[in-house]
Every structure is written in structure tokens, then in C-alpha cells.
Amino acid sequence: MRVIAIDGPAGSGKSTVARRLAERLGTAYLDTGAMYRAVAFAALRRGMDPGDAGPVARMAPGLDIAVDGGQVKVDGVDATIEIRGPEVTRAVSEVAANPAVRTELVRRQRDWVAERGGAVVEGRDIGSVVFPDAELRAYLHARPEVRAGRRHQEVSDLEYEAVAADIARRDSFDSERQADPLHRAEGAVVVDTSDRSVEEIVDELLGHLGGP
Ligand code: DC
């Protein structure tokens, strides 16, 4: 089973690179951030405080989360658009810091990939925790102003300063949390994506792989 782990902070280009790499390899692609967003979405819908660890932890195992082909369904409801919205984006870091939620989602991520016989998987802890034996582990990063610029293009209704501040807030929260914080996994290929094209980066990553 071929597994490729792509980690990095928001705006590092990991979604674009991971999706393109999966296309080039003809394998499945899993965005694990979408799963954390799905749990945050479900918590908000139930009127829970996303930082209230106990209730959120008890809810997670019973949730039906379907992530496939860019679409995300939570308990049968299409949440593809809403999980990218500002409400979920504000709530998701606290949900992702919940160790019980992480245990549950890591298990589901491993099952998801096994059912498909391999995948390109992107997130924050994929090379360090979820698939430490992945054939390739890559850590993507970029200069802060480049990352803020990319996110700003995606969510054009927000001011650049607000986007930059939100990225800085999530960076420190994701890196400083107790449970599986964002860091470069040992042995990971580190790529600065600031001044490079997607194809160039994908070619470099493919160069690290052995045969099919
Ligand atoms: O990549 P993203 O912005 O969609 O991720 C949403 C949140 O989930 C972000 O705060 C980091 C967290 N996350 C995580 O802790 N572990 C992962 N494997 C993926 C995402």
C-alpha cells in the first residue's frame, strides 16, 4: 500500500500539491483537515462550545463523516461549503486540540486509506503520527506573507490583515497544543513553496519515490 504524507501549516500549498500529486499517481487523496472541520461543524450545529472537551469527545465517535472527491457530508448533510466558512474556521483549532477527537479521527484516517489501498494524505501530523511509515513524508512551508496572500485569494471577502492575523493565531495554536502539535517529522522532505510552481514541487516529490 502506497501512502504519501504531506504536512504543513495553513497556506503552505499542501492541498494543491497533495491533490496534484494524487492525480499524477492515480491514487486517492485525503484532506484530514476536512475531518476536523466536520467535527467542529457538528459541534456548532448542536450548540456546543467547541472548547468544551468532554461533550465534543463524546459526540465524535457517533458522527457519520463522509469525505470523498472534495465533498464532505456530516450525518448525511452536505457540509462542503460550510466547513470552510469563518465560523468553523474559528472553532476548528480547539476541536483539533482535543486528544479524544484526534484518537477517533486518526483511526478513521487509517481505515479510509486502507479501504482505498493507499493515498496521498495531507494534514499536520500525518508523517509524525498517522502514517509514520509512509513511503514519503513531506513538510511544506512558505514565508508568512506568501501564505497569508494565498488564503486571502481564497477568501476574498476578508481583509488581508484579518487573514494574516487569523493564520498567525492558528499557527501558534496548532504548533503549541499538547496533542500532536504541528512539527517537521524526522526524515521528512522539507520544501519551501514560496517561489515555486505546483508542477515543480510535485516533480521534486515524485523524484523521491521509488517505482510504482
Ligand atoms: O488544513 P485545515 O486548515 O483545513 O485544518 C483545519 C484545522 O485542523 C487546523 O486548525 C489544523 C487541524 N488539523 C490537525 O490538527 N491535524 C490534521 N491532521 C489536519 C488538520
Side-chain angles (χ1 to χ4, degrees), residues 7 10 14-15 31-34 36-37 84 92-93 96-97 102 109 122-126 130 151 170 174 177 180:
D7 290 302
K14 64 186 187 309
S15 299
D31 167 12
T32 61
Y36 289 95
R37 288 173 180 272
R84 307 284 165 202
V92 69
S93 288
R102 302 201 70 81
Q109 289 155 19
E122 66 141 296
R124 303 291 193 287
D125 61 339
I126 308 306
V130 188
R151 274 293 147 108
R170 284 209 291 150
D174 293 339
R177 70 177 179 225
D180 309 331

Side-chain angles (χ1 to χ4, degrees), residues 105-115 129-132:
L105 292 190
V106 167
R107 187 182 62 71
R108 292 187 191 208
Q109 289 155 19
R110 290 179 179 145
D111 288 350
W112 192 101
V113 173
E115 279 164 19
V129 175
V130 188
F131 292 106

